[in-house]
Amino acid sequence: MHSQKLNSLFLVSFLTFSLGLNAQDKLDENILSEDRLNLFEYNSKKNEENSSKLKKDWVNPITLSYAKSYTDTNNTTTSSISINQPIFKSGGIYSAIKYANANYEYNNFDIELQKKELIKTATTLLFNLNIIDLNIQKNELLLKNANIDVQRKKEQVLTGFLDTSTLDNAIIDANSIKNNLADLYYQKQELNYNFTNIASGDYRSFELPVLSLNDENTYLQNNLELAKAKADIKQNDNFVDMTISKYLPQVNANFNHKQNHEKDNGLPINENVNSYGFSVSIPLDIRTFNDIETQRINYLSSKLNLKNQELEEKNFYRTKLSKIKMYDNKKEIAKSDYELYSSLLEVIIEEKNAELKTQSDVNILKNSQEIRSIELKILELQKQIELLELYAKMS
C-alpha cells in the first residue's frame, strides 16, 4: 500500500516537473538580450543593403563635372555630364543579379545559423543551471545520509563495535560530499554569469523547453547547414557565368553633354555640345582561362562540400540519436531503482513500527529514493540538451 502511494507520488512529481517544461517545436529567441537580438537585426539589414548594392554593381555612375580656368586673355567656365553605361554584357548583367540573390540567401543562412548557435548556447546554459540545482539537491540528500552514517559509526566506535578507521572513512566520505557541494555552488555562479552575458533575464524566469525528436528526413530537409551549402553552390555557379561574361563582347551606350559658360558684353553665351553613341569592346587577356577555371573549381568544390556536409549531418543526427537512446535506457534503470526503493521503504517502515529498525533507517531510504527521482529529472534534461543540438541546426 505504501509502495503504491510512493509510486503515485513519484509519478505526480515527475509529471509536475515535465509540465514545468514548455513544449515547443522551435527555439525561443526571446531568451537572448535585446542588444544581442538587435545585432542580428543589424546584420540582416546590412545583408539586404549589400545585396541591393550587388544588384546595381553593373550600373555605372553618371559623372558630373564643373571646371573654371584662368588665363592671361580670358577666363572659361565649363560643366559636363557624362554617361557610359553597359547595356549588354553577354549575360553578365543577368548573372550579376542572380549572383546577388544567391549571395543574399547564403549570408542570410549564415546569420540564421549564428543566431541559432547563440540561442542554443543560452538554452544549454539554462538547462545546465537547472541540472546544477538538481545536483545540489541530490548532494544535500547524500550529505544527510552521510551524516547519519557518521553518527551511527561514531556510536559504534564509542561502544567498541567498530575501530576508528571505519569512522574516519565515513567522515572523509561526508567531507567529500561537502566539497562537491562547494564545487557545485561555484559552477552555478560561473554558469549564471555566462548566462547573464547573453540572456534577457534571470534564469529562474525562463521556462525550460521540451523538444521532441524529429525523424532523420525532417532533420535533413530543414537543416540550415545544408541549405547554406546549397546557396553556396548557387552563388559560385552564377559567379562562373559572371567571370565568363567579363571576357565576352560588351556593348555600352554613351552620352556626353558639355556646356561652356562665357560672357560677351556682360551677357552669358551658352555653347552646348552633345554627343551620344555606342561602343563594342572585348578584352583580350592571357589570364582569361585561368580566371574562369579557378571559378569553376570553386563551383565544383562547393558541390563536393555539400556532399560531405550531407554525410556529416547524417552521422551527427545518428550520433545524437544513439546518445538520446542511452539517456532513455538510463532513465529506465533509474525508474527501476526508484520502484525498488519504494518496495524496500515499505518493508523498512513496517519494521520500524515493529521497533526492528530505527527512524534513521527510514530516513536513509527516503533520501535514497528521492535521489533516484532527482537523477531521473537530470537525465531528462541531459536528453533535452542533445535534442537542442539538433534543433539548433534546423530552420
Side-chain angles (χ1 to χ4, degrees):
M1 185 69 180
H2 289 293
S3 178
Q4 290 177 346
K5 285 182 179 178
L6 287 167
N7 285 333
S8 299
L9 183 63
F10 164 73
L11 288 173
V12 169
S13 173
F14 188 71
L15 284 172
T16 303
F17 172 76
S18 298
L19 290 172
L21 307 179
N22 181 26
Q24 60 188 64
D25 292 327
K26 292 189 176 180
L27 301 181
D28 187 5
E29 67 175 28
N30 291 323
I31 194 172
L32 298 180
S33 66
E34 187 178 352
D35 287 342
R36 299 281 179 174
L37 289 173
N38 285 340
L39 280 175
F40 288 114
E41 186 66 25
Y42 291 151
N43 286 337
S44 294
K45 288 179 179 177
K46 180 181 175 182
N47 187 34
E48 288 176 10
E49 295 301 325
N50 284 335
S51 177
S52 181
K53 176 180 172 292
L54 274 175
K55 288 178 184 178
K56 300 168 186 172
D57 270 357
W58 65 276
V59 180
N60 287 343
I62 297 171
T63 304
L64 303 177
S65 65
Y66 179 86
K68 191 171 184 69
S69 58
Y70 301 92
T71 66
D72 294 336
T73 56
N74 64 335
N75 301 330
T76 58
T77 304
T78 59
S79 61
S80 66
I81 299 173
S82 178
I83 302 171
N84 185 25
Q85 178 57 48
I87 56 175
F88 176 75
K89 296 181 70 174
S90 299
I93 294 172
Y94 179 61
S95 296
I97 293 171
K98 286 175 66 180
Y99 172 77
N101 290 332
N103 181 261
Y104 169 80
E105 190 178 1
Y106 175 84
N107 289 330
N108 210 39
F109 283 129
D110 189 52
I111 293 166
E112 185 66 18
L113 275 167
Q114 291 177 36
K115 186 176 182 181
K116 281 287 184 73
E117 182 63 27
L118 194 60
I119 293 171
K120 184 197 81 173
T121 300
T123 311
T124 302
L125 287 168
L126 179 62
F127 276 124
N128 283 327
L129 280 163
N130 280 270
I131 287 172
I132 279 194
D133 283 341
L134 290 170
N135 271 319
I136 288 171
Q137 292 175 33
K138 174 184 170 181
N139 275 269
E140 285 172 347
L141 290 168
L142 287 170
L143 184 59
K144 285 181 180 179
N145 281 355
N147 287 335
I148 292 172
D149 191 43
V150 168
Q151 187 59 36
R152 276 181 171 179
K153 287 182 169 57
K154 181 180 177 182
E155 291 171 359
Q156 290 171 337
V157 167
L158 292 174
T159 55
F161 285 105
L162 289 175
D163 58 40
T164 55
S165 63
T166 307
L167 174 60
D168 187 50
N169 288 334
I171 293 170
I172 289 171
D173 290 340
N175 286 336
S176 177
I177 296 169
K178 290 176 184 177
N179 286 327
N180 287 341
L181 276 168
D183 289 338
L184 286 169
Y185 285 125
Y186 166 73
Q187 289 169 22
K188 181 178 177 179
Q189 281 188 325
E190 185 179 27
L191 283 175
N192 197 31
Y193 290 140
N194 290 334
F195 183 76
T196 54
N197 281 337
I198 56 178
S200 57
D202 186 88
Y203 83 96
R204 286 165 293 218
S205 66
F206 293 98
E207 291 184 350
L208 290 171
V210 173
L211 305 172
S212 56
L213 180 64
N214 291 298
D215 61 72
E216 186 174 330
N217 286 335
T218 302
Y219 172 72
L220 294 175
Q221 287 169 6
N222 296 279
N223 190 281
L224 286 170
E225 292 284 3
L226 296 182
K228 180 183 171 185
K230 289 172 184 175
D232 191 37
I233 291 173
K234 283 170 65 177
Q235 73 171 353
N236 285 333
D237 187 23
N238 291 319
F239 199 73
V240 170
D241 293 338
M242 284 175 61
T243 304
I244 292 172
S245 69
K246 281 196 313 182
Y247 303 103
L248 295 176
Q250 175 177 311
V251 179
N252 282 31
N254 53 71
F255 171 78
N256 289 287
H257 170 79
K258 184 177 181 181
Q259 185 165 345
N260 294 315
H261 305 278
E262 297 177 356
K263 291 184 179 181
D264 185 13
N265 296 323
L267 297 175
I269 299 175
N270 294 327
E271 181 183 344
N272 300 331
V273 178
N274 294 320
S275 65
Y276 54 87
F278 69 91
S279 62
V280 179
S281 62
I282 180 169
L284 300 175
D285 193 329
I286 61 172
R287 302 169 298 172
T288 299
F289 294 108
N290 303 111
D291 193 8
I292 293 170
E293 195 60 27
T294 298
Q295 301 312 321
R296 278 184 175 153
I297 290 170
N298 286 339
Y299 167 67
L300 293 172
S301 295
S302 61
K303 292 182 76 173
L304 284 177
N305 285 338
L306 173 61
K307 191 175 178 181
N308 291 331
Q309 192 77 47
E310 285 174 344
L311 180 61
E312 287 173 10
E313 291 304 323
K314 283 179 184 177
N315 287 329
F316 181 80
Y317 177 87
R318 291 166 187 173
T319 301
K320 293 300 171 187
L321 183 61
S322 296
K323 200 163 185 182
I324 288 164
K325 287 179 179 177
M326 178 199 71
Y327 282 125
D328 284 337
N329 290 335
K330 285 186 175 183
K331 282 169 64 181
E332 288 301 316
I333 294 168
K335 265 177 93 173
S336 297
D337 286 349
Y338 183 90
E339 290 166 2
L340 177 61
Y341 277 110
S342 296
S343 60
L344 286 171
L345 187 59
E346 184 178 356
V347 173
I348 294 298
I349 289 172
E350 289 174 356
E351 290 182 349
K352 187 257 180 186
N353 291 336
E355 297 184 353
L356 297 173
K357 296 290 182 182
T358 64
Q359 183 61 43
S360 62
D361 293 317
V362 175
N363 291 340
I364 285 175
L365 268 180
K366 276 186 177 179
N367 291 338
S368 297
Q369 184 190 43
E370 182 60 25
I371 286 167
R372 293 299 176 271
S373 174
I374 290 170
E375 286 174 348
L376 191 58
K377 294 173 185 177
I378 290 171
L379 287 167
E380 177 58 31
L381 293 184
Q382 289 172 331
K383 175 184 172 181
Q384 288 294 311
I385 290 174
E386 297 307 314
L387 288 167
L388 178 62
E389 293 281 343
L390 297 175
Y391 270 75
K393 292 191 170 191
M394 294 174 64
S395 57

